[in-house]
Amino acid sequence: MLFRSLKKFVPFGVILDKQKELEKQFELIKNKDSVIAYDLNQDLLLISLYSLIPPLRNEIKTLKFNNQVQKKGDWIVIRPDGEVLLDLNEEKKRHDGITFNLSEESPHLAAKINESYKLYPREAVFTTYHKYPNVSNQARPQTLSDRISTIFSYRSEEHTSELQSHSDL
């Protein structure tokens, strides 16, 4: 592995440990209607989407919520019956649209997504940090990459833009 890649490498076990830690921290917060709770929930969703399903790199950074499958855009679809789908159509131009049933493939992730949306109804999955209760602005992909770096305490000029999947170990 090149030195540059090695500096950015985060072992999958560390990613899973961080996801569990964020989950426990969020569960301990009594007042979920706060900037701290909302920002922690954003971190939890970001790391959960990288660790509880195979990483999809930038697709997750532009997700929006909807209640039905779409032909354009990348979406988390929460159907009226509570079923959660990941509907990808845009980010990777080299593939046709694909829909994952998260309720079946990753029930724990589907539950986290459902909980987040019920607590914080919004259009964009990831919004601007430190602005809650204003959840109207979608976070930029680079901001989310920077956030991943912060979560894993990387303090270099080069930021972790993607995490290593378990298949890379």
Side-chain angles (χ1 to χ4, degrees):
M1 200 179 281
L2 295 172
F3 177 71
R4 179 179 162 176
S5 294
L6 190 56
K7 276 178 59 174
K8 294 167 64 171
F9 177 78
V10 178
F12 192 66
V14 171
I15 297 167
L16 286 176
D17 289 345
K18 181 57 79 172
Q19 189 278 335
K20 290 174 189 168
E21 177 186 324
L22 292 169
E23 190 171 348
K24 286 178 186 172
Q25 288 175 352
F26 184 73
E27 288 171 1
L28 290 173
I29 294 176
K30 301 266 188 256
N31 179 12
K32 302 285 196 242
D33 189 24
S34 67
V35 172
I36 291 170
Y38 181 77
D39 288 352
L40 184 57
N41 184 264
Q42 290 278 284
D43 291 346
L44 174 60
L45 275 186
L46 183 61
I47 300 307
S48 293
L49 279 161
Y50 273 111
S51 63
L52 300 179
I53 57 172
L56 301 166
R57 293 179 172 71
N58 283 331
E59 284 97 332
I60 68 166
K61 294 177 184 173
T62 58
L63 290 170
K64 293 183 178 180
F65 286 110
N66 204 319
N67 61 4
Q68 59 188 358
V69 174
Q70 302 290 310
K71 292 190 186 294
K72 292 191 179 226
D74 295 322
W75 304 90
I76 288 184
V77 177
I78 301 177
R79 292 190 169 158
D81 65 1
E83 186 175 54
V84 179
L85 308 174
L86 181 60
D87 184 30
L88 303 175
N89 299 300
E90 292 293 327
E91 185 65 31
K92 294 277 186 180
K93 305 294 186 214
R94 296 174 300 215
H95 70 67
D96 292 331
I98 186 167
T99 301
F100 300 95
N101 186 328
L102 295 180
S103 295
E104 291 178 6
E105 295 179 36
S106 184
H108 187 70
L109 175 59
K112 292 289 135 202
I113 290 168
N114 252 324
E115 175 187 43
S116 178
Y117 187 73
K118 285 178 184 172
L119 285 169
Y120 314 107
R122 60 201 184 276
E123 180 182 359
V125 174
F126 298 108
T127 63
T128 309
Y129 280 88
H130 309 303
K131 299 293 183 187
Y132 181 81
N134 179 358
V135 295
S136 60
N137 296 320
Q138 186 165 18
R140 293 184 354 254
Q142 184 58 50
T143 300
L144 296 173
S145 294
D146 293 345
R147 190 69 193 156
I148 291 169
S149 295
T150 299
I151 290 168
F152 289 99
S153 300
Y154 283 82
R155 308 259 189 250
S156 68
E157 290 181 13
E158 296 180 50
H159 299 288
T160 305
S161 59
E162 57 191 56
L163 301 176
Q164 300 295 316
S165 81
H166 59 282
S167 63
D168 293 336
L169 298 178

